């Protein structure tokens, strides 16, 4: 038994764990959780899946519940700077000493169990390991609600070991991780819809008709009452009645004020003999227009929980709206410094949303410098196509993320070449810290620097900014 673990050696061990395995480990994961008393069953489980926006939805739900005085746990991925960011209680990261203690408990058990062929236990994957640690900690802290973000897909995800969550949320679905989840929106939606459980209410994004039809069919099969949220551009879809759907909602009249947005969420309901509609005014402390739908999903999820759970029935709606206003999710159209935006857009859908937000906020009135890096398993050509549509784009600096998943600068330059206007200046700089420094110089005091393409890049940039603030002379 190893006894000399510290936080750094724990994180180094975790970073060395295999990310994916062909060996099916759901049974093994359940055996490990059973050894620790099935901690995932000791709090109300809010389960969130989707392609883009699921971390934001989790953060909005957590902020609303905490504003209402509810004791919460939040499990999200990936982290931007420190592994401890992945698990929070009442909005605070797990302390390093707690992280180390729980790691050691898990390591000691797994180390012995995998040596015993009769145990039926195989070593957890990277994501499974962190999930197990999170639910153990949440159970220890006696949280009332755990807001749990899937890692990849849903049907086979580690977070899907739960039998009866309190509610499920499925955010927007687009093309990502196709090698694992499938090559069509229907196939990807099928994997995401795997989190839906018999009779458990569902809140889902309705922006992609093909994906929604798969989700709705799954919800109907499982008698899951569900609410569909449509963005403003899909308002006509609210006339479609899906079997089992009791409510539809549409985001209307988004007003972008630069650093914040406000909008109306119009909800139409048809519960048995009760038919009507309601509009609520929502304000967000972000200029990202795409967060209108994400915050609406979160708001309606909490509203549905309030209808069904006695411990939440006394929550004040104004407190919930205040929670939405106060929520901040780092790395998502994040104003990290004056004239600097960091966004973790890492697929075509995210790139499209980022471009739309920038064009809505600045309308081509600012010169924009883009620092871009992307992982090799992403559709970097599609991302280049979308980001080349940024109004006011004057300069592109291509860099690389760290590690084996990086995409070469030459490949990315080729991706952009077919889309960029001729006047856009293109250069390559590595590492990301050099690209950041050059980008800030090029943007100057009157321009805007945007760093995007990967959450790994976002984390690297935010860490560099933090290190510079701690040691300006380094």
């Amino acid at each position: 038994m190893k006894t000399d673990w510290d936080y750094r050696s724990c994180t180094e061990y975790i970073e060395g764990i295999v990310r994916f395995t062909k060996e099916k480990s759901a049974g093994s994961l359940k055996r490990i959780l059973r050894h620790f008393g099935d901690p995932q069953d000791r709090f109300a489980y809010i389960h969130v899946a989707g392609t883009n926006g699921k971390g934001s939805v989790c953060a909005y739900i957590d902020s609303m519940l905490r504003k209402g005085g509810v004791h919460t746990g939040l499990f999200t991925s990936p982290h931007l700077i420190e592994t401890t960011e992945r698990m929070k209680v009442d909005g605070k990261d797990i302390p390093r000493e707690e992280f180390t203690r729980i790691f050691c408990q898990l390591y000691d058990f797994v180390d012995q169990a995998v040596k015993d062929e009769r145990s039926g236990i195989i070593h957890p994957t990277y994501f499974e390991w962190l999930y197990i640690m999170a639910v153990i900690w949440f159970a220890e802290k006696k949280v009332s609600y755990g807001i749990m973000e899937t890692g990849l897909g849903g049907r086979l995800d580690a977070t899907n070991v739960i039998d009866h969550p309190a509610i499920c949320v499925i955010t927007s679905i687009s093309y990502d991780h196709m090698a694992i989840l499938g090559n069509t929106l229907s196939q990807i939606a099928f994997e995401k819809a795997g989190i839906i459980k018999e009779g458990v209410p569902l809140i889902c994004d309705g922006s992609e008709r093909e994906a929604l039809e798969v989700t709705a069919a799954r919800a109907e099969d499982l008698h899951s009452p569900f609410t569909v949220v449509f963005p403003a551009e899909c308002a006509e879809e609210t006339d479609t009645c899906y079997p089992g759907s009791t409510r539809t909602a549409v985001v209307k009249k988004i007003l972008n004020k630069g650093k914040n947005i406000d909008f109306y969420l119009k909800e139409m309901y048809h519960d048995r003999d009760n038919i009507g509609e309601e509009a609520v005014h929502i304000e967000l402390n972000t200029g990202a227009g795409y967060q209108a739908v994400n915050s609406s999903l979160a708001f309606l999820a909490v509203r549905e929980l309030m209808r069904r759970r006695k411990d939440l029935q006394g929550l004040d709606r104004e407190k919930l709206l205040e929670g939405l206003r106060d929520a901040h999710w780092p790395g998502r159209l994040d104003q990290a410094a004056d004239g600097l935006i960091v966004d973790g857009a890492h697929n075509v859908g995210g790139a499209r949303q980022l471009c739309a937000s920038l064009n809505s906020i600045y309308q081509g009135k600012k010169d924009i410098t883009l620092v871009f890096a992307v992982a090799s398993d992403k559709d970097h050509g599609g991302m280049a196509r979308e980001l080349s549509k940024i109004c006011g784009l004057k300069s592109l600096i291509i860099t690389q993320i760290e590690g084996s998943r990086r995409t070469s600068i030459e490949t990315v330059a080729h991706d952009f070449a077919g889309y960029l206007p001729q006047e856009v200046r293109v250069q390559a700089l590595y590492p990301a810290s050099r690209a950041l420094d050059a980008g800030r110089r090029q943007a100057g005091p009157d321009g805007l620097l945007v760093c995007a393409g990967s959450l790994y890049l976002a984390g690297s940039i935010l860490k560099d900014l933090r290190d510079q603030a701690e040691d300006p002379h380094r």
Side-chain angles (χ1 to χ4, degrees):
M1 181 184 300
K2 183 174 170 62
T3 59
D4 58 344
W5 295 103
D6 58 16
Y7 172 72
R8 286 302 172 198
S9 58
C10 291
T11 55
E12 287 172 3
Y13 180 91
I14 292 170
E15 288 300 319
I17 298 175
V18 65
R19 257 49 175 186
F20 307 104
T21 177
K22 293 182 179 179
E23 196 170 2
K24 300 302 181 184
S25 56
S28 172
L29 177 60
K30 288 182 178 180
R31 291 183 183 95
I32 296 172
L33 291 167
R34 193 175 305 129
H35 170 79
F36 289 98
D38 284 318
Q40 76 281 3
D41 294 329
R42 287 155 60 187
F43 51 85
Y45 203 99
I46 299 173
H47 203 184
V48 182
T51 304
N52 290 315
K54 56 186 184 289
S56 297
V57 169
C58 287
Y60 282 127
I61 293 174
D62 181 61
S63 182
M64 280 188 287
L65 290 179
R66 286 191 291 111
K67 189 65 70 171
V70 180
H71 187 30
T72 66
L74 175 64
F75 175 69
T76 57
S77 62
H79 60 275
L80 294 177
I81 300 176
E82 290 287 350
T83 312
T84 50
E85 297 167 21
R86 290 174 178 251
M87 50 198 85
K88 305 177 189 290
V89 166
D90 294 335
K92 296 180 179 179
D93 297 352
I94 183 172
R96 289 186 174 189
E97 59 271 19
E98 290 291 280
F99 185 97
T100 303
R101 177 181 59 79
I102 294 172
F103 170 93
C104 290
Q105 291 176 8
L106 179 56
Y107 175 85
D108 289 345
F109 173 70
V110 170
D111 184 53
Q112 294 300 313
V114 295
K115 295 174 182 175
D116 182 356
E117 294 182 357
R118 299 167 301 174
S119 71
I121 290 174
I122 62 176
H123 196 290
T125 63
Y126 174 91
F127 183 81
E128 289 171 339
W129 189 283
L130 290 165
Y131 171 74
I132 296 166
M133 289 183 60
V135 294
I136 290 173
W137 189 49
F138 292 170
E140 285 183 357
K141 301 298 286 186
K142 295 181 170 58
V143 304
S144 300
Y145 288 82
I147 302 106
M148 316 299 292
E149 178 189 357
T150 58
L152 180 64
R155 183 174 64 92
L156 301 177
D157 193 71
T159 59
N160 206 29
V161 295
I162 192 76
D163 292 323
H164 195 80
I167 197 167
C168 298
V169 182
I170 298 179
T171 67
S172 67
I173 293 175
S174 59
Y175 293 100
D176 202 5
H177 300 293
M178 285 91 80
I180 299 171
L181 300 181
N183 293 314
T184 68
L185 287 182
S186 294
Q187 291 172 329
I188 296 170
F190 174 79
E191 295 298 328
K192 309 289 185 182
I195 72 167
I196 303 172
K197 302 295 188 296
E198 180 77 34
V200 174
L202 167 71
I203 314 294
C204 64
D205 178 286
S207 56
E208 289 288 349
R209 180 70 174 267
E210 181 182 341
L212 177 57
E213 288 180 349
V214 173
T215 305
R218 176 69 174 170
E220 182 187 6
D221 289 345
L222 293 174
H223 309 100
S224 172
F226 67 97
T227 299
V228 185
V229 178
F230 294 96
E233 61 269 22
C234 298
E236 68 280 358
E237 296 284 351
T238 58
D239 294 332
T240 303
C241 182
Y242 293 91
S245 171
T246 58
R247 293 170 182 265
T248 55
V250 62
V251 171
K252 285 185 170 290
K253 298 179 180 178
I254 298 177
L255 179 62
N256 197 314
K257 301 175 181 178
K259 292 186 178 181
N260 54 32
I261 60 174
D262 63 52
F263 61 94
Y264 284 91
L265 176 65
K266 183 181 178 183
E267 184 180 8
M268 288 71 72
Y269 53 89
H270 33 97
D271 299 330
R272 297 179 183 176
D273 297 326
N274 186 19
I275 300 175
E277 64 181 47
E278 179 182 1
V280 59
H281 180 225
I282 294 176
E283 298 177 86
L284 302 177
N285 187 27
T286 176
Y290 57 81
Q291 296 292 29
V293 170
N294 292 330
S295 60
S296 297
L297 291 166
F299 178 77
L300 294 174
V302 174
R303 278 274 301 275
E304 187 66 26
L305 288 171
M306 290 169 64
R307 294 187 185 102
R308 294 172 177 270
R309 301 185 66 90
K310 290 182 179 179
D311 59 323
L312 297 183
Q313 287 176 358
L315 290 185
D316 181 271
R317 190 172 82 165
E318 291 306 312
K319 285 290 185 183
L320 302 184
L321 296 174
E322 189 179 337
L324 287 177
R325 248 189 337 265
D326 291 349
H328 173 64
W329 194 226
R332 281 73 176 179
L333 208 74
D334 189 357
Q335 186 98 31
D338 288 342
L340 170 60
I341 286 177
V342 177
D343 191 277
H346 58 283
N347 53 40
V348 175
R352 185 180 301 119
Q353 291 175 338
L354 171 60
C355 178
S357 293
L358 293 173
N359 290 348
S360 174
I361 295 169
Y362 300 105
Q363 300 176 351
K365 296 177 182 177
K366 269 188 178 290
D367 289 347
I368 294 178
T369 298
L370 174 66
V371 170
F372 181 84
V374 65
S376 57
D377 58 346
K378 304 298 180 180
D379 181 4
H380 30 82
M383 294 176 68
R385 179 187 67 242
E386 297 301 326
L387 293 173
S388 295
K389 300 174 186 176
I390 295 174
C391 295
L393 183 61
K394 299 301 181 186
S395 179
L396 169 67
I397 302 176
I398 303 169
T399 187
Q400 291 177 314
I401 61 173
E402 300 296 330
S404 59
R405 293 179 64 201
R406 70 175 65 179
T407 303
S408 73
I409 287 173
E410 293 76 17
T411 297
V412 175
H414 181 266
D415 290 334
F416 274 96
Y419 302 110
L420 282 178
Q422 289 186 346
E423 65 270 17
V424 177
R425 175 188 179 192
V426 180
Q427 64 182 127
L429 288 172
Y430 180 80
S433 56
R434 286 186 64 208
L436 173 63
D437 290 341
R440 298 184 86 170
R441 287 194 301 271
Q442 287 185 27
D446 300 320
L448 180 70
L449 174 62
V450 178
C451 301
S454 165
L455 283 165
Y456 297 104
L457 175 66
S460 175
I461 296 296
L462 293 173
K463 182 180 185 300
D464 199 60
L465 291 172
R466 185 193 67 179
D467 292 345
Q468 287 181 15
E470 292 174 353
D471 183 9
H473 304 295
R474 72 183 180 89

